[in-house]
Structure formats: C-alpha cells, structure tokens
C-alpha cells in the first residue's frame, strides 16, 4: 500500500523535513528530481513506461549494463562467456545484498527471468530464452532457442532487473508498491500522484551513494518543472520544454543538458477499429500531416523529421525508408476511395504531456484540410496506458525509446502480432510477413543480413502505417549547479548513483 499520508517538503541546506506523518529528517543530502508523470508501477514486469523506469533504475540492477557508447559492461554479473551462439554463462558478484538483507543468488536470477517470460508487458524482451540453469549459487547459464545477437543488450534492459524471489512472493500482487532491489537506493514511500521517496543503500556493492535521500516528484507541466528548478525547490528537472531552454541556459545557477536520444515520437492508429482498419484511411491521414511546423513550433528545431520508427543511432536503422510528405489532394482522394468523400470523425488520445498536446493541436488543424474532424482527448497517464493496451482508442500519440540501441527492441514491440496491447503494439497491427522478417532477424548472426531484414520491415511499416513516426527528439534535463556528477543518458532513464550535492 502506497504511503498516503500528506508530505510537505522544505528543501533547506540539502535537508528535507516531512510533516503530517511525524517529522522525518534525511540523514544527509537530499536530492529532489522532477519528471512529467508519476510511475505506474515499480515492478519491472508490470509496466514498460518511461516514468516508472526512471525511478526503478535507481532501485534495481540488471545482470549487465549498457553505457552511453552502447558498450555492454558488468553489473550484477561480474563476467560472462559465450561457449556457443546459443549459450551465455554469467558469473555473479558474491556478497551482493538485496534491500531486505537477503544475498543475491543465481536462483533469484532464474526466478526473475522466468517471471519476466510470463509477463505480457515485457516477455518480448526475453522471449528468445529457452532454458536457464543454475549449476551453483553464483553461476547462471542462459540458453536461447536459436542464436540471438542482441541477448546482452536485452539483458541490460530495466524490465529484466533482478528481483528478490523472497520479496516478490512475500508482497504478492502489491509488489509494485513495495519494490526490493540491489540498487544504490531503497524504496521508502510513495504518495500517489505526488512523490516517491528513496533512501541510500549504505550496503551497495559499489559503495554507498553520496545522496542520502532521493525524491521523485510528479510535476506534469513543463513550465512548472522549470519554475520549481529556478526557485530551488528541486535539484534536477527532466524533460525541459524548448520554451524554457534559453532562459535556463542563461541562468548562472543552472546547468542545462541536452543530447540525442534513442526515442521516436509517433502517432499510432488502432488498426482493428473502423475506420482506421482501412489502409486507405490511415494513408489519407498521413498524407495530410506536415511535420515541419511541428519541428519548428513544438520542438523548436530540437528534433529532426523521422522516416522510421527507429532513430539513426540505433542498429538496423534504414535511411532509405520512405518519409511521408504532405499531399492534401492525395489525402482527399484516398478518403473518397475508402468511402468517405465527405470526410469522417476520429479521436486522438494523448496524455498530459505539453509537447504531445501541441503536436495534436497542429495535426487537428492539418487534418481539417482533407475533411477529417479529429477530436483530442487528454487522458491520465496510468489510464492512458491501460486503455490503449486494451484497444479502446482510435488514434494516440506516444514515444518509444529503443533503449537497447538494437532494431529488434525498436520494432518488434510496436508491430509484431505477439506484442499486441500493453507490450507495445497498441496499434493492434498484424502482418505475417512483418512477423516473419522480425523473427528471422532476431536469430540472424550476420549483422549485414540482420540490417537488410530490418530495412524490409521499415519499408512495409512506412507503407502500411500502423504508426506514423513524427520526429527524433533530443533528451534534456537541467540541474542546479550544486548538483555534481549528473550524466545525461540517451535512454532518458538517468542513473543518479554518482551524483553528489555541493555543500
């Protein structure tokens, strides 16, 4: 049960005092971080959304990690070997403790991966795994059904963070509100819709964090996050709006961070719901969209037009995939051919994200030119994920981060038949040819052949448009200059271990 008692925080000299539940004092520096939405769950197998991952990455560790240069580095596994193309043998660090005091064992890794394989939200990440053996407490042998070149990248994903078998079974269905990991910060409390409080894991295997309390605040409005940072109410703000960028960059008390992301902003169509089940209707809508005004007005040139679901810094990206261009007459003709000469009405869902709302407004005006009356519905983040996962929408706007930097993760979750719903394919699109190409690419070990297969998938998707990629944007954050050691990650899930506060 999330801690629902009212918390009022006062940031003073690196200390926060909580009132309403009895006074609590952080035993050391406190860092407050603001993002645009609350986490949905802190169970890595229950959700795959960015706000949840941003918190969970502080609580958990994976077997291996991927650095910003896309290199695989040790984490809970201190080493690994590949005796053959289907087998990876991991040697675990000894003496690593979960937050509940239990020592990490190979049985916890086996439990975690098998549990992930049963999760409809994240099973696609480990679907290639066919067998897990634990010959001793510190050795894990993972076999895939067929060779899979991306196995280490997939095992670096937050969704396969290693869980304590004992803690999961003890908490049952409530585990997502009582997470237990091996990471640098331990879960303390969650005031739903407002904040999540973490504390330093003094027994962390890499050494205790310098920050002793870490608070994630939910501040949906971009401008409000920037203002809170300027006022010193928070130490770090994620997702800086372009309208605030220049002001924050000019502030001598603030450091601004920006860099290429692994994410694509896109519009999705529910391909099993009329009228969007008709390819001609989807193509007509795509013909009416002009991305250039969105790049100028919404991204303020902080993004580039997309021609594929995956960005150029992801393995398998195809620069020859067709980008759609605005053609109003073509759009009208396609609608008439589909039986809608007088136009039609559709609804588009977005969450309370200013950038996506602005994109929706521009698109709404553009679609009128071909006779499409598109209403915009702003849906709470948690409900948005649940309802689109059930297919109750018509159109929607979302972003997808290819956090593994591999095309398998960038494409398969969004367009493979097996991943319909909450796993990622919220367009409920199904094409046996696409499925076959993705399945073949997953097991192909020759990189050139893999890239060619993914190029074919991108060509088909750009033609059949179950999703319409809009832009490849940058990831951004801003922090008070008293915050030292912060590093921007292309995934958008920034690790805060190593961050300290100047006295």
């Amino acid at each position: 049960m999330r801690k629902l008692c009212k918390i009022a925080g006062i940031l003073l000299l690196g200390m926060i005092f909580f009132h309403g539940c009895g006074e609590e004092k952080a035993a050391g520096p406190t860092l407050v971080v603001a993002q645009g939405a609350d986490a949905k769950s802190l169970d890595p197998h229950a959700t795959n959304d960015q706000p949840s991952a941003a918190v969970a990455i502080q609580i958990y560790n994976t077997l291996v990690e991927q650095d910003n240069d896309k290199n695989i580095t040790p984490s809970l596994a201190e080493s690994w070997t590949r005796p053959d193309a289907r087998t990876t043998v991991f040697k675990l660090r000894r003496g690593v403790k979960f937050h509940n005091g239990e020592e990490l064992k190979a049985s916890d890794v086996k439990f975690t991966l098998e549990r992930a394989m049963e999760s409809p939200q994240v099973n696609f990440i480990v679907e290639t795994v066919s067998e897990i053996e634990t010959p001793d407490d510190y050795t894990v042998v993972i076999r895939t059904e067929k060779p899979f070149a991306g196995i280490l990248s997939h095992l670096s994903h937050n969704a396969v963070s290693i869980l304590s078998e004992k803690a999961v079974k003890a908490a049952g269905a409530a585990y997502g509100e009582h997470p237990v990991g091996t990471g640098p910060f331990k879960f303390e409390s969650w005031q739903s819709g407002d904040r999540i409080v973490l504390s330093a894991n003094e027994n962390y295997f890499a050494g205790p964090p310098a920050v002793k309390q870490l608070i994630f605040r939910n501040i949906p409005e971009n401008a409000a996050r920037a203002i809170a940072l300027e006022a010193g109410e928070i130490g770090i703000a994620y997702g800086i709006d372009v309208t605030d960028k220049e002001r924050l960059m000019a502030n001598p008390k603030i450091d601004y961070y920006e860099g290429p992301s692994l994410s694509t902003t896109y519009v999705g169509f529910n391909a099993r719901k009329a009228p969007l089940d008709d390819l001609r209707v989807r193509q007509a809508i795509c013909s009416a969209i002009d991305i250039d005004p969105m790049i100028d007005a919404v991204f303020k040139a902080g993004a580039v037009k997309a021609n594929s679901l995956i960005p150029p810094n992801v393995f398998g990206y195809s620069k020859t995939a067709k980008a759609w261009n605005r053609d109003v007459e073509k759009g009208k003709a396609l609608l008439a051919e589909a039986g809608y000469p007088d136009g039609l009405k559709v609804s588009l869902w977005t969450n309370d994200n200013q950038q996506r709302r602005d994109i929706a407004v521009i698109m709404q005006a553009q679609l009128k030119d071909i006779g499409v009356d598109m209403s915009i519905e702003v849906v709470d983040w948690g409900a948005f994920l649940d309802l689109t996962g059930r297919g109750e929408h018509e159109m929607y706007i979302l972003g997808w981060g290819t956090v593994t930097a591999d095309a398998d993760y960038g494409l398969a979750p969004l367009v493979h038949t097996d991943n319909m719903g909450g796993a990622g394919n919220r367009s409920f699109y199904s094409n046996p040819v696409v499925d076959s190409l993705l399945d073949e690419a997953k097991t192909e070990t020759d990189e050139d052949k893999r890239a060619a297969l993914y190029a074919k998938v991108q060509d088909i998707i750009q033609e059949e448009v179950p999703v319409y990629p809009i832009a490849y944007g940058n990831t951004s954050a801003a922090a008070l200059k008293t915050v030292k050691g912060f590093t921007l990650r292309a995934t958008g899930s920034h690790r805060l271990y190593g961050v300290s506060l100047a006295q």
Side-chain angles (χ1 to χ4, degrees):
M1 180 176 180
R2 296 178 188 174
K3 190 173 183 181
L4 298 177
C5 46
K6 187 175 181 181
I7 302 175
I10 301 174
L11 181 60
L12 180 62
L13 298 177
M15 306 290 287
I16 288 190
F17 300 89
F18 293 92
H19 305 274
C21 303
E23 187 173 281
E24 269 182 59
K25 183 188 296 186
T30 293
L31 174 63
V32 183
V33 180
Q35 59 178 345
D38 197 7
K40 186 172 183 287
S41 173
L42 295 178
D43 178 350
H45 301 161
T47 188
N48 194 21
D49 67 293
Q50 183 67 40
S52 298
V55 181
I57 201 171
Q58 321 304 331
I59 297 172
Y60 299 101
N61 294 109
T62 45
L63 282 174
V64 294
E65 293 180 359
Q66 189 168 163
D67 64 21
N68 267 358
D69 294 322
K70 305 174 189 174
N71 299 311
I72 300 297
T73 61
S75 185
L76 292 179
E78 61 183 3
S79 65
W80 57 91
T81 56
R82 301 290 302 276
D84 60 62
R86 293 179 47 244
T87 307
T88 310
V89 181
F90 295 93
K91 292 295 184 180
L92 302 182
R93 295 181 188 273
R94 294 173 180 262
V96 174
K97 296 291 183 68
F98 285 103
H99 301 153
N100 61 359
E102 297 290 319
E103 185 180 2
L104 167 72
K105 296 291 180 64
S107 58
D108 294 298
V109 176
K110 179 179 172 67
F111 167 79
T112 296
L113 297 180
E114 289 179 344
R115 185 173 183 262
M117 292 163 71
E118 297 297 320
S119 165
Q121 283 78 26
V122 303
N123 60 5
F124 61 90
I125 297 170
V126 288
E127 65 183 352
T128 61
V129 175
S130 59
E131 187 179 0
I132 305 166
E133 296 179 359
T134 55
D136 60 57
D137 283 345
Y138 303 101
T139 304
V140 180
V141 181
I142 298 177
R143 291 190 176 88
T144 55
E145 185 175 355
K146 297 178 180 179
F148 177 39
I151 184 64
L152 291 177
S153 294
H154 276 227
L155 292 175
S156 71
H157 193 288
N158 176 71
V160 284
S161 297
I162 305 305
L163 313 180
S164 161
E165 180 177 4
K166 181 176 181 179
V168 172
K169 290 181 175 178
Y175 177 75
E177 298 171 0
H178 300 277
V180 174
T182 58
F185 293 95
K186 302 184 293 184
F187 175 81
E188 293 293 338
S189 64
W190 188 346
Q191 185 178 2
S192 183
D194 181 38
R195 69 187 65 198
I196 295 172
V197 181
L198 310 179
S199 64
N201 175 12
E202 298 296 337
N203 297 314
Y204 187 50
F205 66 83
V211 169
K212 299 309 175 186
Q213 191 172 62
L214 180 58
I215 299 175
F216 281 86
R217 284 188 54 192
N218 171 32
I219 304 180
E221 292 293 333
N222 294 338
R225 287 199 300 280
I227 291 170
L229 182 67
E230 290 170 307
E233 296 174 5
I234 62 176
I236 303 176
Y238 290 170
I240 302 303
D241 191 85
V242 290
T243 57
D244 301 311
K245 175 179 174 178
E246 290 187 6
R247 188 179 77 254
L248 294 181
M249 290 180 69
N251 190 321
K253 297 181 179 180
I254 291 174
D255 287 323
Y256 177 79
Y257 303 85
E258 183 174 358
S261 75
L262 293 166
S263 298
T264 305
T265 298
Y266 68 93
V267 172
F269 303 95
N270 190 336
R272 72 177 182 186
K273 181 178 286 188
L276 300 170
D277 58 344
D278 191 320
L279 171 61
R280 295 166 296 186
V281 172
R282 299 198 300 271
Q283 290 180 333
I285 291 174
C286 294
S287 297
I289 298 173
D290 185 357
I291 293 176
D292 289 338
M294 300 175 190
I295 298 292
D296 293 338
V298 179
F299 295 96
K300 301 291 185 184
V304 295
K305 181 177 179 178
N307 71 314
S308 169
L309 264 179
I310 54 178
N313 53 350
V314 168
F315 170 80
Y317 163 78
S318 173
K319 64 181 180 181
T320 61
K322 182 185 76 172
W324 283 80
N325 294 305
R326 180 169 163 87
D327 188 336
V328 172
E329 294 308 313
K330 178 180 179 180
K332 289 179 179 178
L334 284 166
L335 276 187
E337 185 182 328
Y340 302 97
D342 299 321
L344 53 81
K345 292 184 178 182
V346 295
S347 66
L348 178 143
W349 289 8
T350 181
N351 67 304
D352 192 14
N353 175 293
Q354 189 63 51
Q355 191 176 75
R356 294 173 189 168
R357 285 161 56 187
D358 291 344
I359 290 170
V361 170
I362 293 173
M363 189 183 306
Q364 183 182 53
Q366 292 175 347
L367 295 191
K368 288 180 180 178
D369 292 341
I370 64 169
V372 173
D373 181 6
M374 186 187 79
S375 62
I376 299 171
E377 297 184 38
V378 179
V379 183
D380 174 76
W381 180 237
F384 179 93
L385 294 175
D386 289 338
L387 296 173
T388 55
R390 296 203 296 265
E392 298 186 18
H393 58 294
E394 291 183 326
M395 294 172 60
Y396 64 100
I397 296 183
L398 257 182
W400 183 259
T402 308
V403 296
T404 64
D406 186 274
D408 178 74
Y409 184 79
L411 296 171
L414 300 187
V415 297
H416 197 293
T417 301
D418 289 348
N419 297 324
M420 283 186 178
N425 185 353
R426 298 171 193 271
S427 298
F428 294 87
Y429 169 76
S430 180
N431 183 327
V433 175
V434 168
D435 292 347
S436 178
L437 289 167
L438 288 171
D439 292 342
E440 184 180 353
K442 185 185 291 287
T443 59
E444 177 58 63
T445 56
D446 184 291
E447 287 198 350
D448 291 338
K449 292 180 180 178
R450 281 189 85 212
L453 292 166
Y454 288 130
K456 291 180 181 179
V457 172
Q458 291 164 78
D459 287 341
I460 295 171
I461 296 304
Q462 286 300 100
E463 179 65 23
E464 298 194 347
V465 284
V467 293
Y468 178 98
I470 295 174
Y472 309 128
N474 290 338
T475 186
S476 62
L480 298 179
K481 284 190 178 293
T482 52
V483 175
K484 305 297 182 181
F486 175 76
T487 301
L488 196 72
R489 291 173 60 89
T491 62
S493 295
H494 312 299
R495 299 184 188 278
L496 298 176
Y497 177 72
V499 169
S500 62
L501 300 178
Q503 299 299 314

